[in-house]
Amino acid sequence: MAYGREWIRIREPSLTTFAVVAISLTLYFLHAYSWTFWVVVLGIAMSAIKTAAAVAKPDLLLEKEARTSNLREEKTVIPQYIIGGVIFIVFCVAAWNVSELAGYR
C-alpha cells in the first residue's frame, strides 16, 4: 500500500481566493481598514457560496476534478467543502479583527 503524493489529493483554493487575500493584505498595509473589511466580507460571501455548492452538488465537483486532474482515481479525496470551510473561518476571523481597526465595533 503506497502512501505517496498520488494517494491523498488536497484541492487548493481558487485564484479568486488568492486575489481576495492579496487585495486584503495590500489594503491592510496601506491602512485602508474599512476597504479591507469589505473585501474580506466579499471573500466570506464567495467562500460560503462555494462551500454550499460543493455540499449541494458533490458529483459535479468530482466530475470537474476528474476533467482537470491527470491523476488516476485517488483512494482518499479531501473534499472541497472542508477546504472552503477552513477558508471561511479564516476570513471570518480576519473580518472580526479588521472591523475593530476600521471602527465598526
Side-chain angles (χ1 to χ4, degrees):
M1 184 177 232
Y3 293 103
R5 182 167 160 57
E6 71 277 357
W7 196 72
I8 297 176
R9 175 140 168 91
I10 299 175
R11 180 89 172 139
E12 62 276 352
S14 66
L15 290 176
T16 55
T17 303
F18 287 127
V20 167
V21 170
I23 292 169
S24 298
L25 287 174
T26 303
L27 290 170
Y28 178 81
F29 287 120
L30 292 174
H31 300 286
Y33 299 123
S34 61
W35 281 97
T36 305
F37 174 77
W38 290 111
V39 170
V40 172
V41 167
L42 176 68
I44 290 170
M46 288 184 344
S47 176
I49 290 170
K50 288 179 185 178
T51 304
V55 170
K57 297 180 182 178
D59 295 335
L60 183 67
L61 183 69
L62 291 175
E63 288 175 15
K64 181 181 175 185
E65 179 68 25
R67 280 183 283 156
T68 60
S69 176
N70 57 0
L71 298 175
R72 63 181 188 276
E73 189 173 333
E74 295 87 7
K75 302 255 190 279
T76 303
V77 176
I78 308 283
Q80 184 69 23
Y81 60 87
I82 293 176
I83 305 285
V86 170
I87 292 170
F88 179 78
I89 291 170
V90 169
F91 278 155
C92 286
V93 170
W96 180 267
N97 290 326
V98 172
S99 69
E100 185 175 335
L101 294 172
Y104 292 140
R105 285 195 293 139

